[in-house]
């Protein structure tokens, strides 16, 4: 609306002013967002339209293993792992710019780097081989990730404990293209955890890999981390677990701080179909694991299935229903089981890349089957939107023609397609009609001899191996994990530099002192403090929950240790008397905290914490209070405010200069009662606010309204209500007024810092 260019976080540099703009393509339905970001950043969407001075636009990530649908929009693609190649790209661009090379010459220099595909230059059938990092223990890892001030989905530290997978699930693209398996050592991971927890203030560690339970030292690592961080109430999560790898020891360690969620993925409803997809675990594995989880105190489990798998029959759908009920019975029908389903997508570089994808009608038909057959208040059904799955399938195996479809959908207004509340399938249908795209061309089964749009990308997996695995699937034949057995010649390893590496093989833990398990009942020298803080500038836009989270993280990052509540979901002991509205500034906010004795004076304490708080959030004062001190909510009786009105206030031009404004104040103050109407959740109530307004005046010198507002037995009155009801300002004006809380009124004046 205001032509503000999309800019970087730290320096606010417009996107168009960078030398390189890189995108990690994790999901096909994010493609319209890429175009949106380019347009908002002032960069021509099509690579052919970029001139001298335009950034080089590069993509990587899993979707780059079939770059065909988006080749028109990128100057280059990185195929494979980026830790080394990103430095080579940067060096080539720096040297080229120093020599005054044109944009075309810079693009040419990228084409000479192994693992980089340049669509305009690689036109002679060249195969681009993926880049592989042979030892991820040697890679530099960002240890200070960006921490959003707003609530995000994944408020946690993510530790990549291993890369790659050799289980060989035939539907799994990640398990194929990120081979071989390479594990980080516990020593490296412990250092990463320490640095990242200190720099973020997060309270959860997620041990990430394609199959966390397969990490060769998982019990050792989990115990070490839990012993080290238990007293800080840092929880541990294993987000990707195969059911047969979840041991009793792991369950006991995970639940010590709090019970993070469990998702178990049988994928298919029968053993026959699990053999087809080479899943390799059994129904008894699943039931045994569910039993352990429920017995350990978890109240819910999520089961993940796919529909439309190759070779799927009706009995496989019936088997999934039966399996869900059997898992529920393991919880004695008193637990919650969520059945989550998504449509199978035949991804490139997998044995199923040649198989057909079921149509939208077939997806809806299967979803309806589960709706009719799963009827229990303790069984929930969730499914991925079949229309999203349809588009994902089209783009995952698509060709260059889909660039026009993507552009058309973007022009029609498609944005944030991966978010259900923003997904507009009718616009996609319109774009499909406009571009004459035949959906069936992309969903159909392919011949093994057929040339595929992604054939120019060499993922390391040979086509012969993929075809062999496809034939095995037809015979329901399993291929065991090659990590502990023979090599099946998939083509990835050279058995010299590129090979499977496990932490157990390269770690010597003999004689290494284990971290001591600290007593969970050790008495602590706890202290209680009352802090006074300000919330101004850009921090005024934070919600109460976001302010609370920022303060908690800042206190943790300063090295202080909170006291925690009891139970399976412990929370740091911090309490606020009231929530300040989003958009309101305040110079007089309060909170009580309980922490271990800091061993330093309170003035130094405030400075220390402030160095870790976001701009606009500042602790003004800290003082120790006794354990018996009355809570803030019981002693605060009101607040003082100043209100700065916008420059122009239609339809009352003289309002901010006095006149009518002062007249309305005088009328209000001379009244015995002043009734306003409120509506909440469809219910309308009336309230007399006159006794709640202690002082109200217009300060001509400062050109602002000043008010002192109290609480009554039935609550208080908000500054926005003063503007709306006493002065008669409409909602748009009220929203743009600057409201500042300048003081807090206590029953006992000694409680205040003011």
């Amino acid at each position: 609306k205001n032509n503000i260019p999309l800019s970087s976080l730290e320096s606010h540099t417009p996107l168009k002013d960078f030398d390189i703009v890189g995108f990690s393509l994790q999901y096909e339905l994010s493609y319209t967002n890429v175009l949106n970001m380019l347009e908002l950043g002032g960069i021509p969407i099509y690579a052919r339209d970029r001139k001298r001075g335009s950034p080089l636009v590069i993509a990587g990530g899993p979707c780059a293993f079939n770059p065909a649908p988006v080749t028109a929009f990128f100057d280059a693609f990185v195929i494979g792992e980026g830790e080394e190649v990103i430095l080579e790209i940067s060096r080539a661009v720096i040297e080229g710019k120093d020599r005054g090379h044109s944009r075309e010459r810079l693009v040419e220099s990228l084409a000479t780097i192994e693992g980089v595909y340049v669509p305009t230059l690689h036109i002679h059938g060249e195969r681009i081989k993926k880049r592989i990092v042979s030892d991820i223990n040697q890679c530099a890892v960002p240890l200070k990730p960006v921490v959003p001030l707003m609530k995000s989905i994944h408020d946690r530290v993510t530790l990549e404990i291993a890369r790659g997978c050799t289980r060989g699930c035939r539907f799994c693209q990640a398990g194929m293209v990120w081979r071989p398996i390479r594990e980080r050592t516990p020593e490296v991971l412990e250092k990463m955890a320490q640095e990242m927890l200190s720099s973020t203030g997060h309270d959860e560690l997620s041990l990430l890999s394609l199959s966390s339970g397969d990490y060769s030292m998982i019990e050792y690592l989990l115990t070490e981390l839990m012993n080290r961080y238990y007293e800080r109430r840092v929880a541990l999560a294993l987000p990707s677990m195969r059911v047969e790898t979840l041991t009793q020891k792991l369950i006991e360690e995970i639940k010590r701080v709090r019970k993070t969620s469990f998702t178990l993925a049988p994928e298919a409803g029968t053993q026959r179909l699990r053999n087809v997809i080479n899943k390799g675990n059994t129904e008894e594995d699943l039931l045994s694991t569910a039993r352990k989880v429920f017995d350990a105190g978890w109240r819910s489990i999520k089961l993940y299935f796919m529909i439309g798998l190759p070779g799927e029959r009706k009995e496989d759908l019936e088997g999934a229903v039966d399996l869900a009920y059997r898992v529920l019975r393991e919880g004695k029908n008193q637990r919650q089981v969520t059945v989550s389903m998504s449509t199978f997508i035949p991804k490139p570089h997998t044995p199923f890349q040649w198989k057909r994808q079921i149509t939208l009608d077939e997806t809806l038909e299967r979803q309806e089957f589960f709706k009719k057959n799963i009827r229990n208040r303790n069984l929930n059904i969730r499914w991925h939107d079949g229309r999203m799955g349809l588009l994902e399938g089209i783009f995952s195996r698509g060709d260059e023609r889909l660039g026009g479809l993507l552009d058309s959908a973007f022009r029609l207004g498609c944005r944030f397609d991966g978010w259900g509340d923003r997904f507009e399938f009718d616009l996609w249908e319109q774009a499909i009609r406009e571009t004459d795209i035949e959906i069936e061309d992309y969903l159909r089964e392919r011949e093994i001899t057929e040339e595929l749009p992604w054939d120019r990308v060499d993922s390391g997996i040979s086509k012969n191996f993929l075809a062999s695995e496809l034939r095995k699937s037809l015979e329901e034949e399993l291929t065991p994990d090659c990590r502990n057995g023979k090599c099946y010649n998939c083509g990835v390893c050279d058995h010299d530099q590129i090979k499977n590496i496990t932490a157990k093989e390269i770690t010597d833990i003999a004689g290494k002192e284990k971290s001591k398990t600290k007593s969970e009942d050790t008495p602590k020298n706890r202290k209680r403090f009352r802090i006074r803080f300000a919330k101004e500038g850009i921090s005024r836009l934070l919600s109460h929950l976001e302010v609370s989270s920022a303060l908690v993280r800042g206190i943790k990052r300063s090295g202080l240790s909170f006291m925690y509540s009891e139970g399976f979901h412990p929370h740091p002991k911090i309490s606020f008397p009231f929530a300040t509205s989003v958009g309101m500034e305040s110079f007089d906010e309060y909170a009580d905290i309980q922490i271990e004795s800091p061993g330093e004076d309170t003035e130094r304490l405030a400075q220390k914490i402030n160095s870790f708080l976001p701009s606009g959030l500042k602790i003004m004062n800290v003082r120790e209070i006794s354990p018996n001190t009355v809570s803030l909510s019981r002693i605060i009786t009101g607040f003082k405010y100043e209100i700065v009105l916008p420059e122009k206030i239609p339809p009352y031009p003289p309002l901010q200069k006095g006149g009518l404004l002062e007249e309305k104040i005088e009328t209000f103050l001379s009244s015995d009662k002043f009734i306003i109407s409120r509506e909440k959740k469809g219910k309308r109530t009336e309230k007399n606010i006159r006794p709640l307004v202690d002082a109200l005046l217009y300060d001509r010198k400062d050109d602002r309204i000043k008010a002192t507002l109290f609480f009554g037995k039935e609550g208080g009155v908000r500054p926005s209500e003063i503007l709306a009801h006493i002065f008669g300002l409409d909602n748009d004006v009220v929203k743009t007024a600057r409201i500042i809380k300048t003081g807090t009124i206590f029953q006992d004046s000694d409680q205040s810092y003011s």
Side-chain angles (χ1 to χ4, degrees):
K1 180 180 178 180
N2 297 303
N3 294 317
I4 299 171
L6 186 65
S7 302
S8 64
L9 182 66
E10 293 90 350
S11 63
H12 304 288
T13 304
L15 223 57
K16 65 181 178 60
D17 293 339
F18 279 88
D19 296 306
I20 305 171
V21 173
F23 292 89
S24 182
L25 302 180
Q26 297 287 334
Y27 180 36
E28 289 82 358
L29 292 190
S30 69
Y31 288 168
T32 52
N33 276 21
V34 171
L35 303 191
N36 191 30
M37 292 172 73
L38 290 174
E39 185 172 80
L40 292 174
I43 301 170
I45 287 174
Y46 282 96
R48 64 173 181 261
D49 296 330
R50 295 176 198 135
K51 308 299 181 187
R52 185 177 183 89
S54 292
L56 299 174
V57 181
I58 306 177
C63 293
F65 281 93
N66 178 22
V70 289
T71 50
F73 310 107
F74 290 97
D75 297 300
F77 295 84
V78 170
I79 310 299
E81 298 168 353
E83 282 91 343
E84 295 169 347
V85 72
I86 196 169
L87 301 177
E88 295 170 21
I89 289 171
S90 300
R91 190 177 302 116
V93 173
I94 290 170
E95 291 175 358
K97 286 175 67 70
D98 287 345
R99 294 170 183 164
H101 288 171
S102 65
R103 191 175 189 281
E104 290 73 18
R105 286 282 300 278
L106 293 178
V107 172
E108 289 172 8
S109 68
L110 298 186
T112 65
I113 299 173
E114 182 184 353
V116 177
Y117 167 50
V118 177
T120 56
L121 298 177
H122 292 130
I123 57 176
H124 303 294
E126 301 96 330
R127 296 198 75 212
I128 310 301
K129 187 173 178 62
K130 77 169 180 183
R131 289 292 291 264
I132 301 176
V133 175
S134 59
D135 184 0
I136 62 172
N137 288 288
Q138 304 302 318
C139 293
V141 177
L143 298 175
K144 295 183 178 180
V146 172
V147 179
L149 297 178
M150 295 193 305
K151 181 71 176 173
S152 63
I153 296 173
H154 295 138
D155 286 339
R156 62 186 69 144
V157 165
T158 299
L159 285 183
E160 186 193 30
I161 62 175
R163 188 175 301 177
C165 180
T166 49
R167 287 284 189 168
C169 298
R170 293 171 180 138
F171 58 85
C172 181
Q173 184 188 51
M176 294 292 168
V177 302
W178 300 125
R179 290 185 176 203
I181 181 74
R182 289 144 294 157
E183 296 180 350
R184 282 195 170 94
T185 65
E187 183 180 14
V188 169
L189 292 169
E190 288 164 21
K191 289 179 180 177
M192 288 170 59
Q194 177 64 39
E195 290 278 347
M196 295 171 81
L197 286 171
S198 297
S199 67
T200 63
H202 284 318
D203 61 1
E204 184 174 324
L205 274 171
S206 179
L207 307 185
L208 184 67
S209 78
L210 293 175
S211 179
S212 303
D214 284 334
Y215 180 75
S216 61
M217 299 180 70
I218 187 63
E219 289 190 359
Y220 174 88
L221 175 65
L222 205 65
T223 303
E224 287 291 294
L225 292 173
M226 186 56 72
N227 287 345
R228 182 172 298 187
Y229 298 114
Y230 171 79
E231 288 195 344
R232 289 166 57 181
R233 296 303 189 270
V234 174
L236 291 175
L238 300 173
S240 180
M241 290 285 292
R242 293 177 63 91
V243 294
E244 70 273 26
T245 64
L246 187 58
T247 65
Q248 190 66 40
K249 172 72 172 172
L250 293 179
I251 291 174
E252 293 302 320
E253 289 294 341
I254 291 169
K255 77 172 188 177
R256 277 174 64 186
V257 171
R258 68 170 176 268
K259 295 187 178 82
T260 50
S261 60
F262 266 117
T263 298
L264 305 176
E267 311 289 1
T270 64
Q271 192 60 49
R272 180 197 67 82
L273 193 53
R274 283 192 289 276
N275 289 347
V276 168
I277 64 178
N278 202 45
K279 185 64 181 175
N281 50 35
T282 66
E283 190 170 292
E284 183 48 44
D285 290 329
L286 175 68
L287 297 177
S288 173
T289 300
R291 193 180 312 127
K292 292 175 189 174
V293 171
F294 285 139
D295 288 348
W298 269 264
R299 301 202 59 81
S300 65
I301 286 177
K302 184 176 180 180
L303 299 178
Y304 179 79
F305 292 95
M306 282 188 287
I307 55 177
L309 285 163
E312 183 182 77
R313 303 169 186 166
K314 186 177 180 183
E315 55 260 37
D316 300 308
L317 305 180
E318 293 168 342
V321 172
D322 180 61
L323 203 52
Y325 276 100
R326 293 185 68 184
V327 169
L328 184 62
R329 285 196 289 273
E330 293 296 337
K332 299 178 174 56
N333 293 311
Q334 295 176 349
R335 299 293 191 260
Q336 199 75 33
V337 175
T338 298
V339 179
S340 178
M341 282 168 280
S342 66
T343 305
F344 161 70
I345 311 292
K347 292 284 188 174
H349 307 285
T350 69
F352 290 155
Q353 65 181 355
W354 295 283
K355 303 301 288 185
R356 73 178 285 266
Q357 179 176 333
I358 61 174
T359 64
L360 181 57
D361 287 341
E362 290 173 295
T363 295
L364 297 175
E365 181 184 331
R366 285 161 171 77
Q367 290 176 352
E368 193 61 33
F369 172 86
F370 284 101
K371 285 184 201 175
K372 289 180 178 178
N373 288 278
I374 294 182
R375 294 179 177 273
N376 187 298
R377 63 189 179 90
N378 292 326
L379 274 176
N380 294 326
I381 312 175
R382 299 282 185 271
W383 46 76
H384 187 63
D385 191 326
R387 302 169 303 172
M388 291 182 176
L390 176 72
L391 290 178
E392 183 184 346
I394 290 172
F395 278 101
S396 69
R397 293 197 299 172
D399 54 23
E400 285 81 357
R401 291 179 295 165
L402 293 184
L405 171 62
L406 181 61
D407 184 18
S408 179
F410 172 69
R411 300 294 176 194
L412 289 171
C414 291
R415 307 285 192 279
F416 297 96
D417 298 296
W419 284 259
D421 60 329
R422 297 290 179 181
F423 181 60
E424 298 187 71
F425 188 59
D426 57 332
L427 297 182
W428 278 100
E429 289 180 306
Q430 182 180 340
I432 289 169
R433 289 192 298 270
E434 289 179 358
T435 51
D436 295 324
I437 293 294
E438 294 291 337
I439 291 178
E440 293 74 16
D441 287 348
Y442 298 95
L443 301 182
R444 66 179 175 84
E445 187 154 337
R446 318 287 170 99
E447 296 293 332
I448 286 185
T449 56
E450 187 175 336
E451 185 177 337
L452 302 172
W454 53 92
D455 278 347
R456 68 171 61 254
V457 172
D458 181 358
S459 66
I461 304 288
S462 75
K463 255 194 175 182
N464 288 338
F465 172 77
L466 296 177
S468 170
E469 284 296 295
L470 179 61
R471 287 191 291 272
K472 281 186 175 183
S473 76
L474 300 176
E475 301 297 325
E476 301 167 20
E477 181 182 344
L478 292 171
T479 300
D481 188 343
C482 70
R483 182 179 347 195
N484 304 312
K486 72 172 189 176
C487 174
Y488 296 96
N489 297 314
C490 71
V492 171
C493 296
D494 61 14
H495 302 288
D496 179 23
Q497 295 296 314
I498 309 301
K499 58 185 177 181
N500 291 329
I501 298 175
T502 64
K504 207 165 192 175
E505 294 171 335
I506 59 177
T507 302
D508 178 15
I509 62 171
K512 182 180 177 185
E513 183 182 359
K514 288 193 174 185
S515 58
K516 301 284 191 300
T517 303
K518 296 183 180 179
S519 169
E520 299 179 6
D521 299 312
T522 303
K524 312 245 182 356
N525 183 12
R526 64 182 65 195
K527 298 273 189 178
R528 191 175 173 199
F529 293 90
R530 180 156 290 169
I531 61 175
R532 176 181 176 236
F533 65 96
K535 170 195 167 193
E536 53 186 315
I538 198 167
S539 284
R540 77 189 188 281
L541 302 175
L542 299 178
S543 70
H544 174 67
L545 178 61
E546 289 157 359
V547 168
S548 173
S549 297
L551 282 171
V552 168
R553 283 196 299 262
I555 291 169
K556 286 181 178 179
R557 291 177 64 196
S558 71
L560 299 172
S561 296
F562 272 102
M563 305 308 298
Y564 286 85
S565 61
E566 301 298 324
F568 285 115
H569 293 277
H571 298 286
K573 290 198 171 183
I574 180 169
S575 60
F576 298 83
F578 301 99
T580 301
S581 302
V582 175
M584 183 184 293
E585 296 175 71
S586 177
F587 301 124
D588 205 33
E589 294 291 291
Y590 292 86
D592 287 348
I593 62 173
Q594 291 187 46
I595 57 176
E596 288 187 45
S597 178
E600 53 190 308
D601 64 80
T602 54
E603 184 176 342
R604 169 75 183 133
L605 210 57
Q607 295 173 356
K608 192 174 182 180
I609 298 170
N610 282 335
S611 64
F612 296 102
L613 293 180
S615 174
L617 206 57
K618 182 180 180 182
I619 292 179
M620 314 292 288
N621 206 319
V622 179
R623 75 174 183 188
E624 186 177 352
I625 56 176
S626 74
N628 301 320
T629 302
V630 179
S631 67
L632 286 163
S633 58
R634 291 178 58 186
I635 57 175
I636 291 177
T637 59
F639 299 110
K640 296 179 180 180
Y641 297 96
E642 293 185 2
I643 304 170
V644 181
L645 296 174
E647 285 296 318
K648 296 180 180 178
I649 314 177
Y652 304 111
L655 206 54
Q656 69 271 35
K657 300 299 182 186
L660 184 59
L661 182 67
E662 292 174 322
E663 183 181 319
K664 286 179 176 287
I665 291 174
E666 186 177 341
T667 300
F668 172 80
L669 293 176
S670 62
S671 303
D672 293 328
K673 64 168 60 175
F674 194 96
I675 307 298
I676 68 169
S677 179
R678 288 176 172 172
E679 186 171 338
K680 187 176 183 180
K681 295 182 179 179
K683 288 185 67 175
R684 185 170 291 278
T685 58
E686 291 188 339
K687 184 170 187 175
N688 178 19
I689 66 169
R690 180 60 191 89
L692 304 175
V693 181
D694 181 65
L696 185 64
L697 63 92
Y698 170 65
D699 188 323
R700 285 177 174 266
K701 181 180 178 183
D702 293 338
D703 192 18
R704 59 184 59 188
I705 298 166
K706 296 182 178 180
T708 302
L709 309 180
F710 283 116
F711 301 115
K713 290 182 179 179
E714 298 178 359
V717 57
R718 295 184 290 270
S720 58
E721 291 176 319
I722 300 292
L723 296 177
H725 295 283
I726 296 179
F727 300 120
L729 299 177
D730 63 37
N731 195 41
D732 289 339
V733 176
V734 173
K735 284 180 179 178
T736 56
R738 181 186 172 201
I739 301 175
I740 310 154
K741 186 192 291 185
T742 58
T744 301
I745 304 168
F746 292 84
Q747 286 179 349
D748 181 353
S749 60
D750 290 340
Q751 297 288 341
S752 175
Y753 288 94
S754 330

